[in-house]
Amino acid sequence: DSHIQYERVGADVTMKCGSMDWDAAVTWTANGTDIDESHLNGSYLILKNVDLSQSGQYSCYEGSSWHLKYQTYLRVGTPPKEPVLMCRSNNYPKGFYCSWHLPTPTYIPNSFNISVIHGTKDMVCEKDAVPKNRCHIRYLQLFSTVKYKVTLTVTNALGKNFTTLTFDEFAIVKPDPPESVVAKPVPNNPRRLEVSWQNPSSWPDPESFPLKFFLRYRPLILDQWQHVELSDGTSHTITDAYAGKEYIIQVAAKDNDIGTWSDWSVAVHATPWTEEPKHLTTEAQITETTSASTSSFMAPPTTKICDKGAMVGSGAMAVCWTAGLVMAAYSVLFI
Amino acid sequence: SPTGDSWGIFTFLCAALCNLPALPALNCSEELGAGQSIQQTYDLTRYLEHQLRTLAGTYLNYLGPPFNEPDFNPPRLARAERVPSATVDLDLWRGLTDNARLAANYRAYSRLLCYLRVLDGQVGTAELRHRLSHFCASLQGLVLSIGGIMSSLGYPLPAGPAGPPAPPGMPTAPNDFLKKMDDFWLLKELQTWLWRSAKDFNRLKKKVPPAVVTLQLEARGF
């Protein structure tokens, strides 16, 4: 019959060949490979200072008959370190979830037990199928003055460990990031970008629990972000974008009154509308259309801002002197 | 933030002045529909919540350990139920009528104000007395503001807390430690009420259109 045996990394392991006497003649194998006699003490197998690579199946055979007398599966591992626990309410006021993980692997199976105490009441945290290591709780009461105490215990064959979190209902509120962030250029406005987004779908009641938003944007070529905080609405028009520069834009959400900001949304890229210059050569025109924003609007002759003779640079980065000066002036202002 | 504080003071003053039911002749009450007053009352709760953070920090330090420890999590003793709790069943809270919602806030803050005033009379340091009396004044403004909204919507004001601050049947703390526990829970309830009120007034904002209430103000001869 077969067992499993768990041992700590660095331990000394002695395996007995079942009920065989100490002085019986036996052969031990590890994963089918014979083990040298130097590791034997009589019929006992001695493994000193075991490491992870020594995990495997160990079998003991009677000397002459080669009968299998004993078999065990050795799993080398470690007792659990203090687990990492996180609780968060991304669906306030419905409830909250907790998720956990071990900071370092134990290499052997672990079991987790979570307990939630609210004042004198024990609450059940229902385990989620996916992802694993996560459970959720529904609030029975709102606006509680009593803290929640969550204890996570992790146990394996070599030991146990635990961690506790204590928090107020309001402290763990953190929505998911806004969804469907879209940024579009505004026709005929070379310094504008229209950004719109939606409330995260996990936030159940934006009517009674409105969210406020934080928008950040910067041209790809700069490191400094610009920020706008918006107390309502799910759209905003950026009016100070640098003409012709590609922007990266992100949005975060927070309950109007409590909790913390969400993580940043997925980043979207957009470039403000640029006027299509009319009198460039064919090659330059192709470069312009592939790098400019999605605008099918042809600049009328009256809005022409410079003669082709006054162009500086080439292709997509072609600017005329006046526009160049204006941009330089704006850049100085923003530094 | 500093700008937030001055805005808070402004809205508090406006709410206090323009919503006093005893002064119907003020011009600004005509322009203020209850919708706008709800916004101002909401702003006032945010201002108070901000003030309370500083006040509670100072007061809990005055009480000393363990009250000023961040993870102090004592069990709720039966005697601490004197203050109406903000805690409520979720569906019940959602289903509250506007009248019930406003009345719950009015009653809670009236009682909390009484208890805070008692505290004000007892504390040792000048700094605490100053902070407490400033906070009480703001809290008084909040009670008046809520009362004003209720009156303008035609709701009767709940019977105020008459008589001495300690209701009959509520014994004073037998020892110093329990007295400090009472103070701790008072501040905790106040903080929770301010968080709840923000949500209460959010709900009221959506449900009370300003136009309806301006008509009522006119009908009452305001």
Short mmCIF file of all heavy atoms in Angstrom, two decimals, chain B residues 155-197:
data_model
loop_
_atom_site.label_atom_id
_atom_site.label_comp_id
_atom_site.label_asym_id
_atom_site.label_seq_id
_atom_site.Cartn_x
_atom_site.Cartn_y
_atom_site.Cartn_z
N TYR B 155 -43.35 68.76 5.70
CA TYR B 155 -43.29 67.66 6.66
C TYR B 155 -43.21 68.24 8.07
O TYR B 155 -42.53 69.23 8.30
CB TYR B 155 -42.06 66.79 6.42
CG TYR B 155 -42.01 66.13 5.05
CD1 TYR B 155 -40.82 66.10 4.32
CD2 TYR B 155 -43.14 65.53 4.49
CE1 TYR B 155 -40.76 65.49 3.08
CE2 TYR B 155 -43.09 64.93 3.26
CZ TYR B 155 -41.90 64.91 2.55
OH TYR B 155 -41.84 64.31 1.32
N PRO B 156 -43.86 67.57 9.04
CA PRO B 156 -43.78 68.05 10.42
C PRO B 156 -42.40 67.73 11.00
O PRO B 156 -41.84 66.67 10.71
CB PRO B 156 -44.87 67.25 11.14
CG PRO B 156 -45.00 66.00 10.35
CD PRO B 156 -44.67 66.34 8.92
N LEU B 157 -41.89 68.64 11.82
CA LEU B 157 -40.60 68.37 12.45
C LEU B 157 -40.79 67.37 13.57
O LEU B 157 -41.73 67.48 14.34
CB LEU B 157 -40.01 69.67 13.02
CG LEU B 157 -39.41 70.66 12.03
CD1 LEU B 157 -38.80 71.84 12.77
CD2 LEU B 157 -38.34 69.99 11.17
N PRO B 158 -39.87 66.38 13.67
CA PRO B 158 -39.98 65.43 14.78
C PRO B 158 -39.83 66.18 16.10
O PRO B 158 -39.13 67.20 16.15
CB PRO B 158 -38.80 64.48 14.56
CG PRO B 158 -38.30 64.75 13.20
CD PRO B 158 -38.71 66.11 12.83
N ALA B 159 -40.46 65.68 17.15
CA ALA B 159 -40.36 66.33 18.46
C ALA B 159 -38.90 66.40 18.86
O ALA B 159 -38.20 65.40 18.86
CB ALA B 159 -41.16 65.53 19.49
N GLY B 160 -38.43 67.62 19.17
CA GLY B 160 -37.03 67.81 19.51
C GLY B 160 -36.68 67.18 20.83
O GLY B 160 -37.57 66.86 21.63
N PRO B 161 -35.38 67.01 21.10
CA PRO B 161 -34.97 66.44 22.39
C PRO B 161 -35.15 67.49 23.49
O PRO B 161 -34.35 68.39 23.64
CB PRO B 161 -33.50 66.11 22.18
CG PRO B 161 -33.04 67.00 21.06
CD PRO B 161 -34.25 67.39 20.27
N ALA B 162 -36.25 67.39 24.23
CA ALA B 162 -36.50 68.37 25.29
C ALA B 162 -35.85 67.92 26.57
O ALA B 162 -35.60 66.73 26.76
CB ALA B 162 -38.01 68.53 25.48
N GLY B 163 -35.60 68.84 27.46
CA GLY B 163 -35.11 68.49 28.79
C GLY B 163 -33.62 68.24 28.80
O GLY B 163 -32.90 68.58 27.87
N PRO B 164 -33.15 67.61 29.83
CA PRO B 164 -31.71 67.43 30.04
C PRO B 164 -31.14 66.47 29.01
O PRO B 164 -31.86 65.61 28.52
CB PRO B 164 -31.61 66.85 31.45
CG PRO B 164 -32.94 66.24 31.71
CD PRO B 164 -33.95 67.01 30.92
N PRO B 165 -29.91 66.59 28.69
CA PRO B 165 -29.27 65.77 27.65
C PRO B 165 -29.34 64.28 27.93
O PRO B 165 -29.51 63.48 27.03
CB PRO B 165 -27.82 66.23 27.64
CG PRO B 165 -27.82 67.55 28.31
CD PRO B 165 -28.97 67.58 29.24
N ALA B 166 -29.23 63.89 29.18
CA ALA B 166 -29.26 62.45 29.48
C ALA B 166 -30.71 62.03 29.66
O ALA B 166 -31.35 62.43 30.62
CB ALA B 166 -28.44 62.15 30.73
N PRO B 167 -31.26 61.27 28.71
CA PRO B 167 -32.67 60.88 28.82
C PRO B 167 -32.87 60.03 30.07
O PRO B 167 -31.95 59.39 30.54
CB PRO B 167 -32.92 60.05 27.57
CG PRO B 167 -31.70 60.14 26.73
CD PRO B 167 -30.60 60.63 27.57
N PRO B 168 -34.08 60.02 30.60
CA PRO B 168 -34.33 59.23 31.81
C PRO B 168 -34.06 57.76 31.53
O PRO B 168 -34.34 57.27 30.46
CB PRO B 168 -35.81 59.47 32.12
CG PRO B 168 -36.39 60.01 30.86
CD PRO B 168 -35.29 60.72 30.14
N GLY B 169 -33.53 57.09 32.49
CA GLY B 169 -33.23 55.68 32.35
C GLY B 169 -31.83 55.43 31.86
O GLY B 169 -31.38 54.31 31.76
N MET B 170 -31.09 56.46 31.53
CA MET B 170 -29.74 56.30 31.01
C MET B 170 -28.77 56.77 32.09
O MET B 170 -28.58 57.96 32.27
CB MET B 170 -29.65 57.12 29.73
CG MET B 170 -28.33 57.31 29.06
SD MET B 170 -27.16 56.00 28.99
CE MET B 170 -25.69 56.98 29.14
N PRO B 171 -28.19 55.86 32.84
CA PRO B 171 -27.34 56.27 33.97
C PRO B 171 -26.02 56.86 33.47
O PRO B 171 -25.54 56.47 32.42
CB PRO B 171 -27.09 54.96 34.72
CG PRO B 171 -27.25 53.90 33.70
CD PRO B 171 -28.22 54.41 32.67
N THR B 172 -25.46 57.76 34.25
CA THR B 172 -24.14 58.27 33.89
C THR B 172 -23.11 57.18 34.15
O THR B 172 -23.34 56.30 34.98
CB THR B 172 -23.77 59.52 34.70
OG1 THR B 172 -24.06 59.25 36.07
CG2 THR B 172 -24.56 60.73 34.23
N ALA B 173 -22.00 57.25 33.45
CA ALA B 173 -21.01 56.19 33.53
C ALA B 173 -20.49 56.03 34.95
O ALA B 173 -20.14 57.00 35.60
CB ALA B 173 -19.85 56.51 32.59
N PRO B 174 -20.43 54.80 35.42
CA PRO B 174 -20.00 54.57 36.81
C PRO B 174 -18.51 54.80 37.02
O PRO B 174 -18.08 54.99 38.14
CB PRO B 174 -20.36 53.11 37.07
CG PRO B 174 -20.42 52.48 35.72
CD PRO B 174 -20.84 53.56 34.77
N ASN B 175 -17.72 54.71 35.95
CA ASN B 175 -16.31 54.98 36.16
C ASN B 175 -15.70 55.70 34.96
O ASN B 175 -16.33 55.84 33.91
CB ASN B 175 -15.54 53.68 36.49
CG ASN B 175 -15.51 52.73 35.30
OD1 ASN B 175 -15.28 53.13 34.17
ND2 ASN B 175 -15.76 51.47 35.58
N ASP B 176 -14.49 56.13 35.15
CA ASP B 176 -13.80 56.94 34.16
C ASP B 176 -13.65 56.22 32.82
O ASP B 176 -13.85 56.80 31.76
CB ASP B 176 -12.42 57.32 34.72
CG ASP B 176 -11.83 58.50 33.98
OD1 ASP B 176 -12.60 59.46 33.74
OD2 ASP B 176 -10.65 58.46 33.64
N PHE B 177 -13.31 54.93 32.87
CA PHE B 177 -13.07 54.17 31.64
C PHE B 177 -14.36 54.06 30.83
O PHE B 177 -14.37 54.26 29.61
CB PHE B 177 -12.51 52.79 31.95
CG PHE B 177 -12.20 52.00 30.72
CD1 PHE B 177 -11.02 52.21 30.02
CD2 PHE B 177 -13.10 51.06 30.22
CE1 PHE B 177 -10.73 51.49 28.86
CE2 PHE B 177 -12.81 50.34 29.06
CZ PHE B 177 -11.63 50.56 28.38
N LEU B 178 -15.46 53.73 31.50
CA LEU B 178 -16.73 53.59 30.79
C LEU B 178 -17.20 54.93 30.24
O LEU B 178 -17.81 54.99 29.17
CB LEU B 178 -17.79 52.99 31.71
CG LEU B 178 -17.63 51.48 31.97
CD1 LEU B 178 -18.71 50.97 32.90
CD2 LEU B 178 -17.69 50.70 30.66
N LYS B 179 -16.89 56.00 30.96
CA LYS B 179 -17.24 57.33 30.45
C LYS B 179 -16.50 57.58 29.14
O LYS B 179 -17.05 58.08 28.16
CB LYS B 179 -16.88 58.38 31.52
CG LYS B 179 -16.82 59.81 31.05
CD LYS B 179 -18.21 60.43 30.93
CE LYS B 179 -18.19 61.88 30.50
NZ LYS B 179 -17.72 62.08 29.14
N LYS B 180 -15.22 57.21 29.13
CA LYS B 180 -14.42 57.39 27.90
C LYS B 180 -14.96 56.51 26.77
O LYS B 180 -14.97 56.93 25.60
CB LYS B 180 -12.95 57.05 28.16
CG LYS B 180 -12.25 58.06 29.04
CD LYS B 180 -10.78 57.71 29.26
CE LYS B 180 -10.10 58.74 30.12
NZ LYS B 180 -8.69 58.42 30.36
N MET B 181 -15.42 55.32 27.11
CA MET B 181 -16.01 54.44 26.11
C MET B 181 -17.24 55.12 25.49
O MET B 181 -17.45 55.07 24.29
CB MET B 181 -16.47 53.12 26.74
CG MET B 181 -15.36 52.11 26.86
SD MET B 181 -14.80 51.54 25.23
CE MET B 181 -15.68 50.02 25.10
N ASP B 182 -18.07 55.72 26.36
CA ASP B 182 -19.26 56.44 25.87
C ASP B 182 -18.85 57.52 24.87
O ASP B 182 -19.46 57.66 23.81
CB ASP B 182 -20.02 57.09 27.03
CG ASP B 182 -20.76 56.08 27.89
OD1 ASP B 182 -20.86 54.91 27.46
OD2 ASP B 182 -21.24 56.47 28.97
N ASP B 183 -17.81 58.26 25.23
CA ASP B 183 -17.33 59.34 24.35
C ASP B 183 -16.85 58.77 23.02
O ASP B 183 -17.11 59.32 21.95
CB ASP B 183 -16.17 60.11 24.99
CG ASP B 183 -16.60 60.85 26.26
OD1 ASP B 183 -17.83 60.93 26.50
OD2 ASP B 183 -15.73 61.35 26.97
N PHE B 184 -16.11 57.65 23.09
CA PHE B 184 -15.59 56.99 21.89
C PHE B 184 -16.74 56.63 20.95
O PHE B 184 -16.70 56.91 19.75
CB PHE B 184 -14.80 55.74 22.29
CG PHE B 184 -14.38 54.88 21.13
CD1 PHE B 184 -13.23 55.17 20.42
CD2 PHE B 184 -15.14 53.78 20.75
CE1 PHE B 184 -12.84 54.37 19.34
CE2 PHE B 184 -14.76 52.99 19.67
CZ PHE B 184 -13.61 53.28 18.96
N TRP B 185 -17.78 56.00 21.50
CA TRP B 185 -18.90 55.56 20.66
C TRP B 185 -19.70 56.74 20.13
O TRP B 185 -20.24 56.69 19.02
CB TRP B 185 -19.80 54.58 21.41
CG TRP B 185 -19.22 53.21 21.46
CD1 TRP B 185 -18.82 52.52 22.54
CD2 TRP B 185 -18.95 52.35 20.33
NE1 TRP B 185 -18.32 51.28 22.18
CE2 TRP B 185 -18.39 51.15 20.83
CE3 TRP B 185 -19.14 52.48 18.95
CZ2 TRP B 185 -18.02 50.09 20.00
CZ3 TRP B 185 -18.77 51.42 18.12
CH2 TRP B 185 -18.21 50.24 18.65
N LEU B 186 -19.77 57.81 20.93
CA LEU B 186 -20.48 59.01 20.46
C LEU B 186 -19.82 59.53 19.18
O LEU B 186 -20.49 59.82 18.19
CB LEU B 186 -20.46 60.06 21.56
CG LEU B 186 -21.03 61.44 21.21
CD1 LEU B 186 -22.50 61.35 20.83
CD2 LEU B 186 -20.85 62.40 22.37
N LEU B 187 -18.49 59.62 19.22
CA LEU B 187 -17.77 60.12 18.04
C LEU B 187 -17.90 59.17 16.86
O LEU B 187 -18.04 59.59 15.71
CB LEU B 187 -16.29 60.33 18.39
CG LEU B 187 -16.00 61.48 19.35
CD1 LEU B 187 -14.53 61.47 19.77
CD2 LEU B 187 -16.36 62.83 18.74
N LYS B 188 -17.89 57.87 17.16
CA LYS B 188 -18.01 56.86 16.09
C LYS B 188 -19.38 56.98 15.42
O LYS B 188 -19.50 56.93 14.20
CB LYS B 188 -17.84 55.47 16.72
CG LYS B 188 -17.39 54.37 15.78
CD LYS B 188 -15.88 54.22 15.71
CE LYS B 188 -15.46 53.69 14.37
NZ LYS B 188 -15.64 52.27 14.19
N GLU B 189 -20.43 57.11 16.24
CA GLU B 189 -21.79 57.22 15.69
C GLU B 189 -21.93 58.48 14.86
O GLU B 189 -22.56 58.49 13.80
CB GLU B 189 -22.85 57.23 16.80
CG GLU B 189 -23.19 55.87 17.36
CD GLU B 189 -23.85 54.93 16.35
OE1 GLU B 189 -24.14 55.34 15.20
OE2 GLU B 189 -24.06 53.77 16.70
N LEU B 190 -21.34 59.56 15.35
CA LEU B 190 -21.41 60.83 14.65
C LEU B 190 -20.75 60.71 13.27
O LEU B 190 -21.29 61.12 12.25
CB LEU B 190 -20.71 61.90 15.49
CG LEU B 190 -20.69 63.33 15.01
CD1 LEU B 190 -22.09 63.81 14.64
CD2 LEU B 190 -20.10 64.22 16.08
N GLN B 191 -19.57 60.08 13.27
CA GLN B 191 -18.85 59.89 12.01
C GLN B 191 -19.68 59.05 11.04
O GLN B 191 -19.80 59.39 9.86
CB GLN B 191 -17.52 59.20 12.30
CG GLN B 191 -16.66 58.96 11.07
CD GLN B 191 -15.38 58.24 11.41
OE1 GLN B 191 -15.39 57.14 11.97
NE2 GLN B 191 -14.27 58.86 11.09
N THR B 192 -20.27 57.97 11.54
CA THR B 192 -21.05 57.09 10.68
C THR B 192 -22.29 57.80 10.16
O THR B 192 -22.65 57.63 8.99
CB THR B 192 -21.43 55.81 11.45
OG1 THR B 192 -20.26 55.29 12.07
CG2 THR B 192 -22.00 54.76 10.51
N TRP B 193 -22.93 58.59 11.00
CA TRP B 193 -24.09 59.36 10.56
C TRP B 193 -23.73 60.32 9.44
O TRP B 193 -24.48 60.48 8.47
CB TRP B 193 -24.74 60.12 11.72
CG TRP B 193 -25.95 59.41 12.25
CD1 TRP B 193 -26.08 58.78 13.44
CD2 TRP B 193 -27.20 59.23 11.56
NE1 TRP B 193 -27.32 58.22 13.54
CE2 TRP B 193 -28.03 58.48 12.41
CE3 TRP B 193 -27.69 59.64 10.32
CZ2 TRP B 193 -29.33 58.12 12.06
CZ3 TRP B 193 -28.99 59.27 9.96
CH2 TRP B 193 -29.79 58.52 10.83
N LEU B 194 -22.58 60.96 9.55
CA LEU B 194 -22.17 61.91 8.51
C LEU B 194 -21.93 61.18 7.19
O LEU B 194 -22.28 61.67 6.12
CB LEU B 194 -20.95 62.71 8.95
CG LEU B 194 -21.27 63.75 10.04
CD1 LEU B 194 -19.99 64.30 10.65
CD2 LEU B 194 -22.11 64.90 9.47
N TRP B 195 -21.34 59.97 7.25
CA TRP B 195 -21.17 59.19 6.03
C TRP B 195 -22.53 58.79 5.46
O TRP B 195 -22.77 58.84 4.26
CB TRP B 195 -20.36 57.91 6.34
CG TRP B 195 -18.89 58.12 6.36
CD1 TRP B 195 -18.18 59.00 5.62
CD2 TRP B 195 -17.94 57.42 7.16
NE1 TRP B 195 -16.84 58.89 5.91
CE2 TRP B 195 -16.66 57.93 6.84
CE3 TRP B 195 -18.05 56.40 8.11
CZ2 TRP B 195 -15.50 57.45 7.44
CZ3 TRP B 195 -16.89 55.93 8.71
CH2 TRP B 195 -15.62 56.45 8.37
N ARG B 196 -23.43 58.39 6.36
CA ARG B 196 -24.76 57.98 5.90
C ARG B 196 -25.52 59.15 5.30
O ARG B 196 -26.17 59.00 4.26
CB ARG B 196 -25.55 57.36 7.05
CG ARG B 196 -27.00 57.18 6.65
CD ARG B 196 -27.84 56.45 7.65
NE ARG B 196 -29.25 56.74 7.39
CZ ARG B 196 -30.25 56.19 8.06
NH1 ARG B 196 -30.00 55.35 9.04
NH2 ARG B 196 -31.48 56.51 7.75
N SER B 197 -25.42 60.31 5.97
CA SER B 197 -26.17 61.48 5.48
C SER B 197 -25.79 61.84 4.06
O SER B 197 -26.63 62.25 3.26
CB SER B 197 -25.94 62.69 6.37
OG SER B 197 -26.50 62.47 7.63
#
